[in-house]
Amino acid sequence: MTDGTTYPLFRDTNLGGRLSPFKGQWPRIAESAYVFHGAQVVGDVEIGESTSVWHNCVLRGDVNLIRIGSRTNIQDGTVIHVSTNTYPTIVGDDVLIAHMAMLHGCTLEDNAFVGMGAIVMDNTVIEPDGMLAAGAMLTPGKRVRSGELWAGSPAKFMRKVTPQELEKNRSMAEHYRRLAEQHRLDSQGIATDQPYP
């Protein structure tokens, strides 16, 4: 039974992303974050400074919470959900999550990398500078240690990350922050020609 009051179903970000409540809990988005049009963010979700959530991503914090750190990049079509009353999804700072990834009740620590189309399942951890290759499936309870590359379905340890890969991954967070800022400027009719690292 309701009192007849109408409550908003959603609010749009300044870039056209959509925020929706669950049980009265609205997402909390840092002012400098980028939530682009087509993205849906629902419920108990926090997104940190300069993090970019690209087109057609879904972050659904309904039956548990989602926490995203600063300068993290969540690329187009990624789905992030949680495990009911057991495992939230926690993502640290400067994390790279490539197109069409799926995260569910897992933890990605600072500078972790998840490749295109990869699946990260319940109660898994990717430590700092750990890499999960494109198309890989990290099955429940597994841990990618710092500096390891895992691949396959189910994912297994393949080798250590090279210094060149590590350097590239570390630079990509800033690349995507600058790219997101260019998109924001374009949305205001401001065209610049800044180079991207």
Side-chain angles (χ1 to χ4, degrees):
M1 192 74 167
T2 66
D3 60 7
T5 304
T6 301
Y7 297 94
L9 294 176
F10 59 84
R11 299 174 186 150
D12 286 339
T13 70
N14 59 2
L15 292 168
R18 182 151 288 180
L19 311 180
S20 301
F22 182 76
K23 292 187 175 181
Q25 176 73 65
W26 284 87
R28 294 166 303 287
I29 312 299
E31 193 162 332
S32 63
Y34 309 87
V35 180
F36 289 104
H37 57 90
Q40 304 275 343
V41 183
V42 180
D44 191 0
V45 180
E46 291 184 6
I47 298 176
E49 299 287 343
S50 299
T51 282
S52 53
V53 179
W54 291 79
H55 313 282
N56 300 322
C57 291
V58 176
L59 284 65
R60 181 157 57 92
D62 49 6
V63 295
N64 213 320
L65 60 86
I66 296 171
R67 298 291 181 264
I68 311 291
S70 299
R71 299 172 307 280
T72 283
N73 168 244
I74 304 169
Q75 293 178 29
D76 316 62
T78 290
V79 174
I80 301 179
H81 195 223
V82 290
S83 186
T84 305
N85 300 323
T86 50
Y87 303 112
T89 295
I90 309 295
V91 179
D93 298 336
D94 301 300
V95 173
L96 300 176
I97 302 169
H99 313 287
M100 302 288 289
M102 181 176 293
L103 312 182
H104 198 277
C106 58
T107 298
L108 308 183
E109 297 181 351
D110 296 350
N111 297 109
F113 175 92
V114 174
M116 290 186 287
I119 299 173
V120 188
M121 298 181 72
D122 291 1
N123 192 29
T124 56
V125 177
I126 301 179
E127 294 183 1
D129 297 312
M131 291 183 67
L132 184 65
M137 177 186 288
L138 191 63
T139 51
K142 294 294 195 312
R143 176 179 288 263
V144 177
R145 303 284 179 185
S146 183
E148 291 182 348
L149 170 65
W150 285 45
S153 183
K156 294 180 172 58
F157 171 73
M158 304 299 285
R159 59 175 173 80
K160 298 294 284 186
V161 177
T162 68
Q164 293 81 7
E165 289 167 333
L166 184 59
E167 182 180 358
K168 180 179 179 182
N169 290 350
R170 288 286 183 103
S171 72
M172 290 305 285
E174 174 61 12
H175 164 81
Y176 272 102
R177 186 201 64 77
R178 293 175 65 184
L179 186 60
E181 180 61 16
Q182 178 63 71
H183 279 271
R184 185 187 68 78
L185 292 172
D186 286 348
S187 76
Q188 299 172 350
I190 302 169
T192 66
D193 189 24
Q194 61 177 329
Y196 299 102

